[in-house]
Amino acid sequence: GDSVTQMEGPVTLSEEAFLTINCTYTATGYPSLFWYVQYPGEGLQLLLKATKADDKGSNKGFEATYRKETTSFHLEKGSVQVSDSAVYFCALSSSSASKIIFGSGTRLSIRP
Amino acid sequence: NAGVTQTPKFQVLKTGQSMTLQCAQDMNHNSMYWYRQDPGMGLRLIYYSASEGTTDKGEVPNGYNVSRLNKREFSLRLESAAPSQTSVYFCASSLQGGVDQPQHFGDGTRLSIL
């Protein structure tokens, strides 16, 4: 079945460092891909999405490119801030299901 | 600008007690979902409702029931709570269950079963 695998955390970086959180997927058909962010004590919020191969989703300085050849959707940010500390979830929505499948989440902590 | 509202925010139950978690959305969305979030396991889908009048099991439905009361409301019921159901529960909604439709989440209900 469809699945999402993302790098385990926690990931700890210094402020202004470059961030990569890896995400790969397995799916039939042509899924849409998402990154969600969860701040402490809150629900998940959509961060960005891409709906077809080679699309780049971007928001708040974060980017991810839909790579069909490597079945990946890695999240990147050039210079992280303390306020980016949160849990990040990679997810997919496939044409064979009316629901979203989430990865296990990656906790990111940014040191001042 | 409420979005998805869940009540209560916190609850402590004793084993065997029953409880209903409430969820309402004001975005005129067709699809609604219930998840549980446990450490190291991400989000697991309990039940979902693709449209008003329909409900379907997700990945972990045992021990739960749901009711899609109307288009706005989707409740989750624990008939006889067990310690294994201690978790954070999230309700979500989307315009429809299509491929490119993101979900909007409530702030969660933190449930402890003693």
Side-chain angles (χ1 to χ4, degrees):
Chain A
D2 296 350
S3 66
V4 175
T5 302
Q6 60 182 106
M7 64 187 290
E8 292 189 17
V11 174
T12 303
L13 296 172
S14 297
E15 203 166 20
E16 299 184 1
F18 184 86
L19 168 71
T20 300
I21 300 178
N22 291 336
C23 171
T24 58
Y25 67 90
T26 302
T28 55
Y30 303 94
S32 291
L33 301 174
F34 307 89
W35 277 101
Y36 283 81
V37 58
Q38 184 181 30
Y39 298 104
E42 299 182 9
L44 279 70
Q45 304 173 25
L46 179 67
L47 180 60
L48 54 83
K49 73 173 186 179
T51 58
K52 60 183 186 296
D54 299 325
D55 266 3
K56 178 184 285 188
S58 61
N59 186 26
K60 299 181 180 180
F62 291 90
E63 294 183 339
T65 301
Y66 189 141
R67 302 286 189 198
K68 190 169 176 63
E69 63 276 12
T70 55
T71 62
S72 66
F73 192 54
H74 305 321
L75 183 68
E76 297 181 335
K77 186 174 185 182
S79 177
V80 293
Q81 306 300 313
V82 172
S83 57
D84 294 327
S85 297
V87 181
Y88 292 82
F89 292 89
C90 185
L92 71 81
S93 177
S94 71
S95 56
S96 62
S98 59
K99 48 189 183 288
I100 291 179
I101 296 169
F102 290 88
S104 58
T106 301
R107 182 175 299 277
L108 174 67
S109 296
I110 307 300
R111 295 187 299 254
Chain B
N1 195 24
V4 179
T5 302
Q6 292 183 234
T7 55
K9 295 188 184 305
F10 303 93
Q11 185 70 49
V12 179
L13 295 177
K14 295 181 179 179
T15 298
Q17 287 185 314
S18 62
M19 162 146 204
T20 300
L21 279 60
Q22 307 287 350
C23 174
Q25 52 89 11
D26 62 2
M27 295 173 284
N28 201 34
H29 284 173
N30 292 301
S31 301
M32 298 185 73
Y33 311 82
W34 274 106
Y35 295 90
R36 59 178 290 172
Q37 184 179 30
D38 302 293
M41 301 191 73
L43 274 79
R44 293 184 290 170
L45 183 65
I46 304 171
Y47 270 93
Y48 67 102
S49 171
S51 61
E52 185 179 358
T54 69
T55 60
D56 287 284
K57 295 179 179 179
E59 183 183 354
V60 288
N62 291 344
Y64 305 95
N65 285 301
V66 290
S67 295
R68 184 73 184 267
L69 304 170
N70 47 55
K71 190 172 185 178
R72 288 187 64 249
E73 299 173 288
F74 187 40
S75 62
L76 178 71
R77 182 162 178 83
L78 288 70
E79 289 291 351
S80 179
S84 61
Q85 294 178 304
T86 293
S87 189
V88 182
Y89 291 85
F90 287 99
C91 178
S93 69
S94 64
L95 183 58
Q96 59 189 41
V99 175
D100 64 346
Q101 294 295 318
Q103 293 181 5
H104 299 258
F105 284 79
D107 286 339
T109 294
R110 285 148 185 81
L111 184 60
S112 293
I113 315 297
L114 305 178

